[in-house]
Every structure is written in C-alpha cells, then in structure tokens.
DNA sequence: CCGCATCCTCATGGATACTG
DNA sequence: CAGTATCCATGAGGATGCGG
C-alpha cells in the first residue's frame, strides 16, 4: 500500500517493506527458487495481476528482490537479494506459530504443494525427532522432493538419484499433522497417520534408511 | 481487514490473523506488559481509535489476546494469551531483519522508548558479545530499564534497586547503532558512539559490572 | 502464450467528532 | 476513559486490453 507507519522502530520499518498484503507470500515463493511472473500468479491463488506487478516493483526498489532476464533469452525472472533471502527466519517463525490454525484441515481453502517446501522443514526443525540418517521423499504429481535430516535440522530439496526403500501415500492434511506433531516418522506410520488411499491431492511419502 | 487469503498454508493463515495493518505492532506493545486502551493509543502513533477498537476485537476472537477488567475495578486491560505471546519469535526475527532500515536514523519519524524494550535484546542476542556479568541501565525520561546479560541471551526489564557504577548519555540513534553492530559495549563507549551531549530524546546509558 | 497496464467497483483504512 | 459514528480517501480485486 506504500503507506508508511512513519515510526523510528525496527518492527514498524520492517512492516513498511513486507507488511503489505501478499508481500510475504511473494517472498516465500521466491525463497524456494527464482520464479517467473506467471509462476507467481499460479502459486498465489487470488492475487490480482495489477497487485502482483505493483508489489514486485515495490519490493524491487526496496531491495528485497531483483528483476532480471531469464537465461534462455525469453521472459523475466524474479530473484531474492541476499537481504530478501534473510526473510526466511521471520517467515519460518510465523509458520511455526501458525500450527494451531492448520490442525483443522483445509476447509475448502486452496492448496499448493510448494507451500510445504518451507513449512515442513520449519516445523520439523523445532519438534520432530528423527534418526539422523532418515530420509523422506515426497511426491506431489510431478514435484519430487527429498527431505533429509542433517545435524543442524532438516533440509528439503530435489530428490537425488538413489533409489528409495519404501513407499506410502498420504494426504497433505496428514503430512501437516505429521510435521506439526512430536511423533517420529516411524511412529506416525505405525499410528496410521500415513494412509494408503487415494485422494485428489495425493502425496507419496517414501521412507528410506 | 478480516479479508482472508483462503489458502491452506501456514504462512497465509498466520497472516490472516496478524497480517493486517497495526496488528503486529499491537502485539509487540502487549509483549512488554498488559496495557490499557489509552496506553495502546499513545504507544501506536497514527492509529485511529476505531481501528484500534476493531483490531482488539478481532485479535480477541482470534485467540491472540484477552480483554479483562483491570485489578483496581477501573477500566479494561488487554493481555496476550500464551499463544499470542509466542509471536515474540516472529517479531524479534523481523526486528533483526530490519537493521538495514534503521541505520540511517529517525528522519522525522516518531519514536517511543518502549520500542527498544524488545529491539535491543533481539539485536544483542544475535550479534553483540558482552562479558556475561555486564549490566546496562537505560533511562528515557521517567522510564528506567536495566539490560542484563544472561546465559541464554539478554533480558530487558525494570531497573532493580542496586546502585549503578557509571553514567553516560546517548541518543536513541546511537543506541540502535550499538545494538545493530558487533562492538562490545565498552568498545562502543571507547569509540565515542555513546555521547555526553543533550538531545530532545536523550538516553542515559548506565554501565556496571 | 507472457508480462504487465488500465478501468472500474467496493471494501477497508484513516481522521475527526461525538457519546455512555 | 473507552470506545462509536460518520465521512472521505485509498487500496484490493476482477475484468479487460495490449504490445512483444
């Protein structure tokens, strides 16, 4: 909205930059990877095209992101600056805070699997105890991801080449329950949190090691 | 604004609750201590009375804060719920992220010393190295505070009774520089970041131990 | 197609005045 | 003191257009 609080205060000035509607959701999308205008429209259901354009312009002048030409000569691409990427911490904090708002399920709200890419590690970091060698693969349609336990927490990235040892299917809601809880992954499986039935938005969770 | 993103996503649902204008600033004020309506008006320069009333109502129904009668039988008081108080982490993350926005000074923006009560510990936690026994007292007019180094970080609260050993004065801008930098407190003093001259908004920083 | 810009309507924010 | 009521400016969101 470009409307400043005009306060000499860290929180107020942070909100002057990222407090406007959609801004943190745009940044979260770009924290996954640089994206095109069209990908942002698709990943932010409900945003108007003029709003996205204005927000991208504003965040660019504020120094949060950069607009640049994509490699293949076609179209523009938006990337976070180093300072913009540091919004990962506030965003993950908000995701952890929001778990009570997620346990009641989707209730007709839109869902995109990419949103789990930050959420699951953010939640697991704080709560789930897993054996250090555990690896979880997640497959949403054509999106194939691998969740690895590291010493400092969890890391979610593209699935590397090696084969996985077991496969189960679950719904997004159950993945979020799993992430928000304090169960180990094998406990969650034993308790039936991970199901085998199909769903419009099916996740295949693959456990190995 | 009561306008929901309608997304099944932790970040979006967090912003449905605290993403509206003024909401996080209200919560930050209540993180310091429970407050009356009038105190909130004074601590949030620029907020309209109808907006504050509406936000308090909304945050109450959302479960972030509670409205209750003050002890002395007179007036109402607003307090954070335990869940609302957990917003301290996201708020401190945003404060840390905002340091590049603070280094250029006030530039005519409003300033209230209470805002430092969360900011200074949030910044010092991450960056300043101080001897474990260090204590800093801050005095803004009638507001007297003491900053103590603990094992887990820093804690800012009311000044306890014991006498303090040294006194210097500084401007809020310099306090913020100090907090955002990587200098020790004694280094900052030696380098002249802490001044003795007067100012409309003078801080007296008192070092001991 | 992509990457926006313009136009339009209506909900929301903000300032001021007023009230129990 | 603790808010309501009112009015007006502005931002949000949908539809559409348009050059590359």
């Amino acid at each position: 909205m470009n409307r400043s609080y005009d306060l000499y205060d860290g929180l107020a000035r942070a909100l002057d930059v990222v407090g406007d509607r959609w801004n943190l959701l745009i940044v979260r999308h770009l924290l996954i990877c640089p994206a095109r205008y069209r990908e942002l429209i698709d990943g932010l259901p409900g945003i108007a095209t003029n709003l996205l354009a204005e927000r991208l312009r504003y965040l660019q002048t504020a120094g949060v992101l950069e607009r640049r030409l994509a490699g293949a000569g076609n179209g523009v691409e938006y990337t976070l600056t180093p300072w913009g990427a540091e919004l990962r911490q506030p965003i993950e904090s908000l995701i952890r805070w929001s778990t009570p708002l997620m346990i009641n399920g989707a209730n007709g709200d839109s869902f995109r699997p990419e949103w789990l890419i930050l959420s699951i590690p953010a939640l697991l970091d704080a709560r789930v105890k897993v054996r250090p060698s555990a690896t979880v693969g997640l497959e949403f349609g054509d999106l194939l991801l691998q969740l690895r336990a590291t010493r400092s927490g969890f890391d979610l990235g593209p699935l590397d080449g090696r084969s996985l040892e077991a496969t189960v299917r679950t719904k997004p809601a159950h993945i979020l329950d799993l992430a928000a809880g304090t169960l180990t992954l094998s406990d969650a499986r034993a308790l039936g949190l991970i199901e085998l039935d199909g769903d419009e938005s099916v996740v295949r969770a693959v456990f190995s090691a």
Side-chain angles (χ1 to χ4, degrees), chain A residues 120-190:
Chain A
I120 292 184
L123 295 167
L124 290 176
D125 281 351
R127 313 202 188 187
V128 175
K129 302 185 190 77
V130 184
R131 299 186 306 281
S133 61
T135 298
V136 181
L138 300 176
E139 183 180 323
F140 286 88
D142 53 353
L143 186 66
L144 201 61
L145 301 167
Q146 177 176 287
L147 182 70
R148 283 161 298 215
T150 69
R151 283 178 195 165
S152 59
F154 285 82
D155 188 55
L156 196 66
L159 186 67
D160 63 25
R162 67 201 173 93
S163 65
L164 296 159
E165 300 175 1
T167 301
V168 290
R169 292 172 181 275
T170 185
K171 302 182 209 169
H174 290 152
I175 282 285
L176 288 165
D177 287 340
L178 172 67
T182 57
L183 298 166
T184 67
L185 295 173
S186 53
D187 283 343
R189 190 180 181 185

Side-chain angles (χ1 to χ4, degrees), chain A residues 9-65:
Chain A
D9 168 49
L11 180 59
R13 290 200 173 172
L15 294 173
D16 282 341
V17 176
V18 296
D20 291 350
R21 196 166 166 77
W22 295 109
N23 276 357
L24 273 185
L25 293 174
I26 292 169
V27 170
R28 193 269 308 276
H29 195 111
L30 295 178
L31 273 171
I32 301 169
C33 67
R36 309 283 296 269
Y37 186 87
R38 163 60 43 172
E39 295 173 316
L40 290 168
I41 288 281
D42 294 340
L44 273 42
I47 196 172
T49 60
N50 57 345
L51 276 189
L52 177 58
E54 190 240 317
R55 295 296 195 260
L56 289 172
R57 233 180 295 129
Y58 179 73
L59 292 173
Q60 185 188 359
T61 67
V64 172
L65 54 82

